Amino acid sequence: MIYRKNNVLEALGQDRVPVGAFVQMRCPEIVEAAGNAGYDYVWIDWEHGSFELDTVVDMIRAAEATGLTPIVRIPCGQPAEIARVLDAGAMGIIVPQVSTAEAARQAVAAAKYRTASYEPGRRGACPLIRATGHQTLDWPAYAQWANANTTVWLLVETLEGLRNLDEILAVPGIDAIVLGAFDLAVSMGKEGDRRDPEVERVLDGMIERVRNAGVDVVGLLFDADLESMRASREHYVRGGCRILVAGSDRRILSNGLAAIRDAAGPDATKPNAAVR
């Protein structure tokens, strides 16, 4: 029986930091490009992306074709959303705006099947889905494999979530907490400034609390230039982050176009600067 591989789990098992690409544009070819560039996984952003579920499925196919592990950020924590992306072949979910332990429990339960070894699972069971090879895989074996290889990441990005972080971390089955730095900075009244000293202190404290609970941390590297990105990587990894997502398709494209335009016409009027 052939199953897919979760590159993130494999990298962590090898004590290597897996790096993901962040895709929001309605373009499976970007996912293919990320796979060919050697990324470990792709963060398919269904929450803020310019696409619907049919494109999510095409992006999952593109990821599989190039050896990427597809992980999908769903719009909210509804069990139906979780089931649909996992049934389509996603190997992990990213749930936004998790602020309570109950929301965390519901997300984990929705991502896992009920089996003899895992009674809390509430994921809807259907052997006809794409993830089972359209009913070609043995169901009991597949369900056990899916529970072991499906990752659950939670975005904690509100002050309420910050206050309840220890209770959230006590929920079994959480693989990682994603640092929702921008939303958290907005929630703190810092206008989205991730570099505000108070925001940075809170984020560093979150990393320590999460790692002390035995849960992994996902650090977001969305810096405008490579030097700043390297500095962020060093900071996050030194602090305890074992998973990273580096660069977004929108920023890479915008900055790349601006840089090429500058190189091709340095004396031209530039009404739009590169995204910072």
Side-chain angles (χ1 to χ4, degrees), residues 48 73 97 157-158 180-188 192 194:
H48 295 299
R73 174 158 69 173
Q97 300 284 330
E157 47 191 344
T158 65
F182 191 88
D183 274 283
L184 185 60
V186 170
S187 184
M188 293 173 63
R194 296 172 294 169

Side-chain angles (χ1 to χ4, degrees), residues 50-171:
S50 306
F51 46 79
E52 296 299 335
L53 182 63
D54 55 348
T55 301
V56 172
V57 178
D58 287 342
M59 289 182 166
I60 290 171
R61 288 193 180 100
E64 292 172 348
T66 52
L68 280 172
T69 292
I71 300 177
V72 179
R73 174 158 69 173
I74 59 176
C76 57
Q78 293 299 318
E81 292 177 350
I82 294 172
R84 294 190 79 182
V85 298
L86 295 179
D87 286 358
M91 298 194 68
I93 56 166
I94 303 162
V95 184
Q97 300 284 330
V98 175
S99 298
T100 66
E102 181 56 29
R105 267 190 293 271
Q106 290 178 3
V108 174
K112 306 289 184 178
Y113 291 115
R114 179 179 179 131
T115 66
S117 60
Y118 192 76
E119 291 189 2
R122 294 295 181 268
R123 178 179 169 184
C126 178
L128 306 173
I129 57 177
R130 181 177 183 274
T132 65
H134 308 289
Q135 205 176 5
T136 62
L137 301 182
D138 174 75
W139 175 259
Y142 166 76
Q144 293 283 354
W145 174 89
N147 280 2
N149 288 276
T150 298
T151 54
V152 178
W153 298 356
L154 308 181
L155 266 157
V156 176
E157 47 191 344
T158 65
L159 289 177
E160 182 185 7
L162 185 63
R163 288 192 296 269
N164 295 328
L165 182 58
D166 293 335
E167 289 79 9
I168 292 170
L169 291 170
V171 174

